[in-house]
Amino acid sequence: QTRPVVIAPDFNFSETYIMDPLADDEKREFIKTVVRGRHKELSDVVIDRIVKKEESYLPLYIKLVVDRLLLLDSEDFANIRALGDGMDNINKYMISLVDDMAEDLEDITVELVKEAAERIEREFVYRTLGLLTSFPIWLSEGFIKQFFERHDWQFNALNFAITVKTLGSFISYNTE
């Protein structure tokens, strides 16, 4: 099964490429690489569930699923404790998250943004995301902070760091 992937469709130089879907072993290796890069681990049963998702032939889709799983916070851990102690219950909870995730790239992106907004600070996340996706240049944290200050919006460096880490799969910013 192959699917066309359009690279930069709004530009004249764009072409359509045929991308072979990732094989299951490639998906597993990709997941492990992403997780290792964040200094975390996922169990094989959770990885297997991700691999079974229909859109998991897309590396970005896999990355967004993993991003959500690595976004666990105190609310998630309270839900896990309600299931009982032990790795089996952590895996059960993560599998339920994977099963409940959207089946297409657009919807999972929306889900991840909404989840980040709920867990960080709604207005801050939406304003930051709006700035980072609206300008044709990469903005720096300093520029965004100044923009917030000019509009009398509260800027929080920790929230900024968490936002770009959480949503970093589909946004870019100038680190200088």
Side-chain angles (χ1 to χ4, degrees):
Q1 168 186 348
T2 59
R3 298 187 186 200
V5 176
V6 179
I7 308 299
D10 296 329
F11 297 97
N12 292 332
F13 62 81
S14 182
E15 296 181 34
T16 299
Y17 294 91
I18 302 299
M19 182 176 90
D20 291 328
L22 295 175
D24 286 355
D25 59 328
E26 293 172 316
K27 294 176 190 179
R28 283 183 185 84
E29 189 56 38
F30 180 72
I31 293 167
K32 290 177 182 178
T33 299
V34 170
V35 171
R36 265 194 313 269
R38 299 274 295 272
H39 308 288
K40 305 283 184 179
E41 289 184 32
L42 289 177
S43 69
D44 288 339
V45 294
V46 175
I47 291 172
D48 288 343
R49 191 59 67 110
I50 297 169
V51 166
K52 291 178 184 173
K53 297 288 278 185
E54 185 177 330
E55 292 290 301
S56 68
Y57 75 96
L58 291 169
L60 180 57
Y61 182 85
I62 291 173
K63 180 82 171 60
L64 294 175
V65 171
V66 170
D67 285 349
R68 171 55 188 99
L69 293 177
L70 300 181
L71 189 62
L72 295 181
D73 66 4
S74 58
E75 181 182 326
D76 291 301
F77 288 111
N79 291 331
I80 292 168
R81 278 192 300 280
L83 295 172
D85 290 331
M87 198 65 203
D88 287 342
N89 289 318
I90 294 171
N91 289 336
K92 224 184 278 185
Y93 184 76
M94 288 186 146
I95 287 170
S96 73
L97 289 177
V98 172
D99 289 347
D100 291 343
M101 287 183 201
E103 291 294 337
D104 66 62
L105 198 52
E106 182 178 339
D107 289 342
I108 196 170
T109 301
V110 170
E111 283 180 8
L112 190 60
V113 169
K114 285 180 178 178
E115 189 75 27
E118 287 176 20
R119 290 169 183 264
I120 301 168
E121 185 183 322
R122 181 175 306 284
E123 280 188 26
F124 183 88
V125 169
Y126 289 139
R127 287 173 176 166
T128 301
L129 189 59
L131 284 170
L132 291 172
T133 58
S134 297
F135 285 83
I137 57 171
W138 287 2
L139 303 178
S140 68
E141 179 180 354
F143 177 89
I144 292 170
K145 181 179 180 185
Q146 289 174 358
F147 190 93
F148 271 56
E149 289 170 351
R150 277 196 305 266
H151 290 84
D152 292 323
W153 298 341
Q154 184 68 35
F155 182 84
N156 181 304
L158 179 60
N159 283 351
F160 181 80
I162 295 169
T163 300
V164 296
K165 184 175 183 176
T166 302
L167 304 177
S169 295
F170 52 88
I171 60 171
S172 296
Y173 75 103
N174 184 346
T175 58
E176 296 178 5

